[in-house]
Amino acid sequence: MSQCKPGMGVCGVALLLASSVALAEDRPLFEKFELERLDLNPGAAGSLLIGTGELLPAGDFRFSSVAHYQHNPFVVSRSGKATPIVGSRATMHLVAAYAPFSWLELGAQLPVVMLQTGANLTEDNIAQPASRGLSTPTVSARVGLLSQQAGSWGDFALEMGVGPPVGSAPGFARDAGLRYAPRLMFGRHFGWFRVALESRFVVRPKVDSYDDQDSALARDTIGSEAQMGLALAMIGQRTRWELDLRASIPLEKQPSSVELFLGPRYLLNPSVEFFALAGLGSGTAPGTPLFRVLFGASFGRVVPPRLPDESSVTCSPELDHTAEECPDMDEDGDGVPNGQDMCDDDAGTPERQGCPWTDIDKDGIEDKLDACPAEVGVAAWKGCPMPDADKDGIEDGRDVCPSEPGPELSRGCPLKDRDHDEVEDDVDQCPDLAGPKDRQGCPESDLDRDNIPNVLDTCAKAAGPAENHGCPSHEVPLVWLTRQKIELMEKIFFVPGQPRIDSRSFPTLEWAAKVITEHPDLPLIVVGAHTDDRGSAVDNLRQSQARAEAVRQYLIQHGVAPDKLEAKGYGQSRPIDSNATSIGRENNRRIEFVIVARQ
């Protein structure tokens, strides 16, 4: 049998009879066979040509119209010379797919030969092929067995396709009987691309070969064959490229072929997609052109499904999409990708995971950190209101009488008359020592006889005027005694960032120790340490407690009985000035000596 010259794109099987009269009497001029070898992927999930194992989502449909040109799809050896029986062929493919269920996809294809030309072999008694006509339609059912989107390692599907003997026999567009095409498909997503592999068996009526020595034409057998396909395709982009490889392996005594395709597809909107493919062919099997070009459009639900961590092809400012569909975009332009942005619609900062600084209840605590964003609260309680059942301003955890309002100096209990001197505690200057009303409840005790009761006399053992707080005129007291506190004339300073007392505060603390030791009748004194709001509330609370302990220890070392003192760190929970200014913050950083009555 004669062979085609190397380098021919498609050569091989002639389905025309020899020109001799004797041969014509034995065989018809045209034996029925389908020249078209290309079938499209109806659902076009992942690839336009190769089945990827991925099905359309349930309820989705897709309709495609594809223009297709082939060059030299049918070439035979004529007296040792390659002759194109079909030199050019233009076809219109109408393709549809519908998924009634998530596991089932139905497909249909209808090729129509629009224009076909070939060599004039009338001198060999061979008529030219019909220039147009209907080609073999096919219907298919595809069943999905595995789905990567459902959590499997990849996508796997089975398909059965059937082509009835319908079409134009004079146009090489019809088989002599039914064509069956079972197919196995497997695919998987890898980051920004997809790999797919398919195996297809085409079972169709056999056309026997012959090689008549008296004939100028020679042809091979046409029959069943196995087809393999490999696809590499981009995903997650509005413009996607794919590379397809198709090869045929004969199951009869017939030639093989290989074709390579490359082309883009572009999503115009969620309902319309344009695409184009160009391919080169090698081999002598009929229907394998030297090259072919396809371009077309698809309509319906053309946005491909995606995995949860993948971007949708609709991720473009011109197309509708959600932030979840496009994790790599930045919808609000704050520099934080959608996949990491906790506030997709509001521009924020990377430090706040894309959210803006908000404070709905205006309590100075950011809503993101506020456990009670709609209620004014304090930092010590994570933005929630301080629990205070009796509303006396003392949190229930410190309130000795949580159901009865009372002042801080009595630890939240109501003031009455603890010393039974008929002077109410709220006006009694000496609530723990009985005294007459004309002395505001203080006893007559006045050791230095300066007419200032000991409980209000800063220098109880040395006479002095009231304007100098009971101390001699030549002395300048650094503290003075009041009913509620031992007031400090100067701040207590610490080594920055440490609980260690700065030496310049020693004189003030020595005065405090002197006053406490000279007044043995004083009740419990709470050494309170406070900070501003810089830094975390937890760290500030820890630092203030350490500083209060340091002051208490210093006073003990200077003669104060330990049971007279209690150290309490309040952190930033009790500001006396605004933390918005440096002066305010400085005022908030303080040590206080509060006189608290024992229970």
PDB file of all heavy atoms in Angstrom, residues 277-300:
ATOM      1  N   LEU A 277      -9.139  28.619  19.760  1.00  0.00           N
ATOM      2  CA  LEU A 277      -8.125  27.568  19.841  1.00  0.00           C
ATOM      3  C   LEU A 277      -7.481  27.396  18.468  1.00  0.00           C
ATOM      4  O   LEU A 277      -8.150  27.500  17.440  1.00  0.00           O
ATOM      5  CB  LEU A 277      -8.731  26.233  20.275  1.00  0.00           C
ATOM      6  CG  LEU A 277      -9.100  26.046  21.738  1.00  0.00           C
ATOM      7  CD1 LEU A 277      -9.866  24.747  21.913  1.00  0.00           C
ATOM      8  CD2 LEU A 277      -7.851  26.036  22.609  1.00  0.00           C
ATOM      9  N   ALA A 278      -6.185  27.133  18.470  1.00  0.00           N
ATOM     10  CA  ALA A 278      -5.464  26.806  17.235  1.00  0.00           C
ATOM     11  C   ALA A 278      -4.709  25.516  17.489  1.00  0.00           C
ATOM     12  O   ALA A 278      -4.128  25.316  18.561  1.00  0.00           O
ATOM     13  CB  ALA A 278      -4.508  27.922  16.849  1.00  0.00           C
ATOM     14  N   GLY A 279      -4.743  24.613  16.479  1.00  0.00           N
ATOM     15  CA  GLY A 279      -4.104  23.325  16.672  1.00  0.00           C
ATOM     16  C   GLY A 279      -3.305  22.877  15.468  1.00  0.00           C
ATOM     17  O   GLY A 279      -3.616  23.237  14.325  1.00  0.00           O
ATOM     18  N   LEU A 280      -2.270  22.096  15.743  1.00  0.00           N
ATOM     19  CA  LEU A 280      -1.447  21.480  14.710  1.00  0.00           C
ATOM     20  C   LEU A 280      -1.630  19.976  14.797  1.00  0.00           C
ATOM     21  O   LEU A 280      -1.685  19.408  15.889  1.00  0.00           O
ATOM     22  CB  LEU A 280       0.026  21.841  14.900  1.00  0.00           C
ATOM     23  CG  LEU A 280       0.409  23.316  14.762  1.00  0.00           C
ATOM     24  CD1 LEU A 280       1.873  23.504  15.091  1.00  0.00           C
ATOM     25  CD2 LEU A 280       0.119  23.801  13.342  1.00  0.00           C
ATOM     26  N   GLY A 281      -1.700  19.306  13.601  1.00  0.00           N
ATOM     27  CA  GLY A 281      -1.903  17.875  13.569  1.00  0.00           C
ATOM     28  C   GLY A 281      -0.746  17.142  12.935  1.00  0.00           C
ATOM     29  O   GLY A 281      -0.040  17.672  12.073  1.00  0.00           O
ATOM     30  N   SER A 282      -0.567  15.909  13.367  1.00  0.00           N
ATOM     31  CA  SER A 282       0.461  15.053  12.793  1.00  0.00           C
ATOM     32  C   SER A 282      -0.078  13.635  12.744  1.00  0.00           C
ATOM     33  O   SER A 282      -0.605  13.131  13.737  1.00  0.00           O
ATOM     34  CB  SER A 282       1.738  15.112  13.636  1.00  0.00           C
ATOM     35  OG  SER A 282       2.707  14.214  13.139  1.00  0.00           O
ATOM     36  N   GLY A 283       0.017  12.990  11.580  1.00  0.00           N
ATOM     37  CA  GLY A 283      -0.484  11.638  11.432  1.00  0.00           C
ATOM     38  C   GLY A 283      -1.289  11.497  10.162  1.00  0.00           C
ATOM     39  O   GLY A 283      -1.648  12.483   9.497  1.00  0.00           O
ATOM     40  N   THR A 284      -1.598  10.248   9.795  1.00  0.00           N
ATOM     41  CA  THR A 284      -2.265   9.989   8.523  1.00  0.00           C
ATOM     42  C   THR A 284      -3.709   9.576   8.678  1.00  0.00           C
ATOM     43  O   THR A 284      -4.350   9.205   7.707  1.00  0.00           O
ATOM     44  CB  THR A 284      -1.501   8.881   7.777  1.00  0.00           C
ATOM     45  OG1 THR A 284      -1.516   7.686   8.561  1.00  0.00           O
ATOM     46  CG2 THR A 284      -0.066   9.315   7.511  1.00  0.00           C
ATOM     47  N   ALA A 285      -4.242   9.581   9.913  1.00  0.00           N
ATOM     48  CA  ALA A 285      -5.625   9.187  10.108  1.00  0.00           C
ATOM     49  C   ALA A 285      -6.567  10.199   9.474  1.00  0.00           C
ATOM     50  O   ALA A 285      -6.364  11.409   9.603  1.00  0.00           O
ATOM     51  CB  ALA A 285      -5.917   9.049  11.587  1.00  0.00           C
ATOM     52  N   PRO A 286      -7.591   9.781   8.756  1.00  0.00           N
ATOM     53  CA  PRO A 286      -8.559  10.716   8.172  1.00  0.00           C
ATOM     54  C   PRO A 286      -9.175  11.587   9.256  1.00  0.00           C
ATOM     55  O   PRO A 286      -9.499  11.112  10.341  1.00  0.00           O
ATOM     56  CB  PRO A 286      -9.596   9.799   7.541  1.00  0.00           C
ATOM     57  CG  PRO A 286      -8.894   8.519   7.312  1.00  0.00           C
ATOM     58  CD  PRO A 286      -7.913   8.374   8.414  1.00  0.00           C
ATOM     59  N   GLY A 287      -9.357  12.859   8.959  1.00  0.00           N
ATOM     60  CA  GLY A 287      -9.902  13.806   9.922  1.00  0.00           C
ATOM     61  C   GLY A 287      -8.842  14.491  10.757  1.00  0.00           C
ATOM     62  O   GLY A 287      -9.170  15.289  11.625  1.00  0.00           O
ATOM     63  N   THR A 288      -7.554  14.188  10.500  1.00  0.00           N
ATOM     64  CA  THR A 288      -6.464  14.868  11.201  1.00  0.00           C
ATOM     65  C   THR A 288      -5.881  15.914  10.265  1.00  0.00           C
ATOM     66  O   THR A 288      -5.132  15.591   9.346  1.00  0.00           O
ATOM     67  CB  THR A 288      -5.367  13.877  11.617  1.00  0.00           C
ATOM     68  OG1 THR A 288      -5.943  12.823  12.370  1.00  0.00           O
ATOM     69  CG2 THR A 288      -4.310  14.579  12.444  1.00  0.00           C
ATOM     70  N   PRO A 289      -6.226  17.193  10.444  1.00  0.00           N
ATOM     71  CA  PRO A 289      -5.765  18.223   9.509  1.00  0.00           C
ATOM     72  C   PRO A 289      -4.325  18.632   9.792  1.00  0.00           C
ATOM     73  O   PRO A 289      -3.755  18.336  10.842  1.00  0.00           O
ATOM     74  CB  PRO A 289      -6.724  19.379   9.773  1.00  0.00           C
ATOM     75  CG  PRO A 289      -7.079  19.241  11.206  1.00  0.00           C
ATOM     76  CD  PRO A 289      -7.116  17.760  11.473  1.00  0.00           C
ATOM     77  N   LEU A 290      -3.768  19.325   8.801  1.00  0.00           N
ATOM     78  CA  LEU A 290      -2.450  19.909   8.999  1.00  0.00           C
ATOM     79  C   LEU A 290      -2.507  20.945  10.110  1.00  0.00           C
ATOM     80  O   LEU A 290      -1.634  21.019  10.953  1.00  0.00           O
ATOM     81  CB  LEU A 290      -1.951  20.535   7.697  1.00  0.00           C
ATOM     82  CG  LEU A 290      -0.559  21.181   7.746  1.00  0.00           C
ATOM     83  CD1 LEU A 290       0.491  20.130   8.046  1.00  0.00           C
ATOM     84  CD2 LEU A 290      -0.247  21.891   6.435  1.00  0.00           C
ATOM     85  N   PHE A 291      -3.579  21.721  10.115  1.00  0.00           N
ATOM     86  CA  PHE A 291      -3.845  22.639  11.226  1.00  0.00           C
ATOM     87  C   PHE A 291      -5.329  22.918  11.241  1.00  0.00           C
ATOM     88  O   PHE A 291      -6.035  22.720  10.248  1.00  0.00           O
ATOM     89  CB  PHE A 291      -3.033  23.945  11.105  1.00  0.00           C
ATOM     90  CG  PHE A 291      -3.427  24.820   9.953  1.00  0.00           C
ATOM     91  CD1 PHE A 291      -4.470  25.743  10.061  1.00  0.00           C
ATOM     92  CD2 PHE A 291      -2.754  24.733   8.733  1.00  0.00           C
ATOM     93  CE1 PHE A 291      -4.819  26.564   9.002  1.00  0.00           C
ATOM     94  CE2 PHE A 291      -3.099  25.548   7.668  1.00  0.00           C
ATOM     95  CZ  PHE A 291      -4.130  26.465   7.796  1.00  0.00           C
ATOM     96  N   ARG A 292      -5.797  23.383  12.374  1.00  0.00           N
ATOM     97  CA  ARG A 292      -7.198  23.770  12.501  1.00  0.00           C
ATOM     98  C   ARG A 292      -7.309  24.968  13.443  1.00  0.00           C
ATOM     99  O   ARG A 292      -6.451  25.172  14.312  1.00  0.00           O
ATOM    100  CB  ARG A 292      -8.063  22.616  12.967  1.00  0.00           C
ATOM    101  CG  ARG A 292      -7.855  22.144  14.364  1.00  0.00           C
ATOM    102  CD  ARG A 292      -8.940  21.147  14.768  1.00  0.00           C
ATOM    103  NE  ARG A 292      -8.573  19.758  14.541  1.00  0.00           N
ATOM    104  CZ  ARG A 292      -9.417  18.840  14.108  1.00  0.00           C
ATOM    105  NH1 ARG A 292     -10.662  19.186  13.826  1.00  0.00           N
ATOM    106  NH2 ARG A 292      -9.034  17.579  13.957  1.00  0.00           N
ATOM    107  N   VAL A 293      -8.349  25.772  13.249  1.00  0.00           N
ATOM    108  CA  VAL A 293      -8.594  26.978  14.049  1.00  0.00           C
ATOM    109  C   VAL A 293     -10.060  26.970  14.475  1.00  0.00           C
ATOM    110  O   VAL A 293     -10.947  26.696  13.656  1.00  0.00           O
ATOM    111  CB  VAL A 293      -8.271  28.260  13.269  1.00  0.00           C
ATOM    112  CG1 VAL A 293      -8.581  29.488  14.118  1.00  0.00           C
ATOM    113  CG2 VAL A 293      -6.827  28.285  12.822  1.00  0.00           C
ATOM    114  N   LEU A 294     -10.307  27.258  15.756  1.00  0.00           N
ATOM    115  CA  LEU A 294     -11.669  27.353  16.278  1.00  0.00           C
ATOM    116  C   LEU A 294     -11.835  28.662  17.029  1.00  0.00           C
ATOM    117  O   LEU A 294     -10.914  29.114  17.708  1.00  0.00           O
ATOM    118  CB  LEU A 294     -11.980  26.204  17.245  1.00  0.00           C
ATOM    119  CG  LEU A 294     -11.852  24.771  16.769  1.00  0.00           C
ATOM    120  CD1 LEU A 294     -10.462  24.236  17.082  1.00  0.00           C
ATOM    121  CD2 LEU A 294     -12.915  23.906  17.446  1.00  0.00           C
ATOM    122  N   PHE A 295     -12.982  29.261  16.910  1.00  0.00           N
ATOM    123  CA  PHE A 295     -13.326  30.395  17.757  1.00  0.00           C
ATOM    124  C   PHE A 295     -14.837  30.396  17.932  1.00  0.00           C
ATOM    125  O   PHE A 295     -15.586  29.955  17.050  1.00  0.00           O
ATOM    126  CB  PHE A 295     -12.832  31.727  17.175  1.00  0.00           C
ATOM    127  CG  PHE A 295     -13.390  32.055  15.817  1.00  0.00           C
ATOM    128  CD1 PHE A 295     -14.561  32.791  15.678  1.00  0.00           C
ATOM    129  CD2 PHE A 295     -12.736  31.632  14.661  1.00  0.00           C
ATOM    130  CE1 PHE A 295     -15.064  33.096  14.427  1.00  0.00           C
ATOM    131  CE2 PHE A 295     -13.238  31.938  13.407  1.00  0.00           C
ATOM    132  CZ  PHE A 295     -14.403  32.673  13.284  1.00  0.00           C
ATOM    133  N   GLY A 296     -15.277  30.843  19.107  1.00  0.00           N
ATOM    134  CA  GLY A 296     -16.703  30.821  19.379  1.00  0.00           C
ATOM    135  C   GLY A 296     -17.054  31.527  20.662  1.00  0.00           C
ATOM    136  O   GLY A 296     -16.239  32.223  21.269  1.00  0.00           O
ATOM    137  N   ALA A 297     -18.307  31.331  21.082  1.00  0.00           N
ATOM    138  CA  ALA A 297     -18.824  31.972  22.287  1.00  0.00           C
ATOM    139  C   ALA A 297     -19.738  30.997  23.005  1.00  0.00           C
ATOM    140  O   ALA A 297     -20.376  30.143  22.387  1.00  0.00           O
ATOM    141  CB  ALA A 297     -19.572  33.253  21.941  1.00  0.00           C
ATOM    142  N   SER A 298     -19.792  31.132  24.337  1.00  0.00           N
ATOM    143  CA  SER A 298     -20.681  30.322  25.163  1.00  0.00           C
ATOM    144  C   SER A 298     -21.617  31.238  25.921  1.00  0.00           C
ATOM    145  O   SER A 298     -21.256  32.365  26.299  1.00  0.00           O
ATOM    146  CB  SER A 298     -19.880  29.460  26.147  1.00  0.00           C
ATOM    147  OG  SER A 298     -19.102  28.498  25.466  1.00  0.00           O
ATOM    148  N   PHE A 299     -22.819  30.718  26.169  1.00  0.00           N
ATOM    149  CA  PHE A 299     -23.854  31.497  26.840  1.00  0.00           C
ATOM    150  C   PHE A 299     -24.477  30.641  27.942  1.00  0.00           C
ATOM    151  O   PHE A 299     -24.446  29.412  27.893  1.00  0.00           O
ATOM    152  CB  PHE A 299     -24.935  31.928  25.845  1.00  0.00           C
ATOM    153  CG  PHE A 299     -24.381  32.589  24.616  1.00  0.00           C
ATOM    154  CD1 PHE A 299     -24.086  31.833  23.488  1.00  0.00           C
ATOM    155  CD2 PHE A 299     -24.142  33.951  24.590  1.00  0.00           C
ATOM    156  CE1 PHE A 299     -23.573  32.435  22.350  1.00  0.00           C
ATOM    157  CE2 PHE A 299     -23.625  34.561  23.456  1.00  0.00           C
ATOM    158  CZ  PHE A 299     -23.337  33.796  22.338  1.00  0.00           C
ATOM    159  N   GLY A 300     -25.055  31.303  28.941  1.00  0.00           N
ATOM    160  CA  GLY A 300     -25.659  30.600  30.067  1.00  0.00           C
ATOM    161  C   GLY A 300     -24.885  30.872  31.331  1.00  0.00           C
ATOM    162  O   GLY A 300     -24.429  31.999  31.577  1.00  0.00           O
TER     163      GLY A 300
END
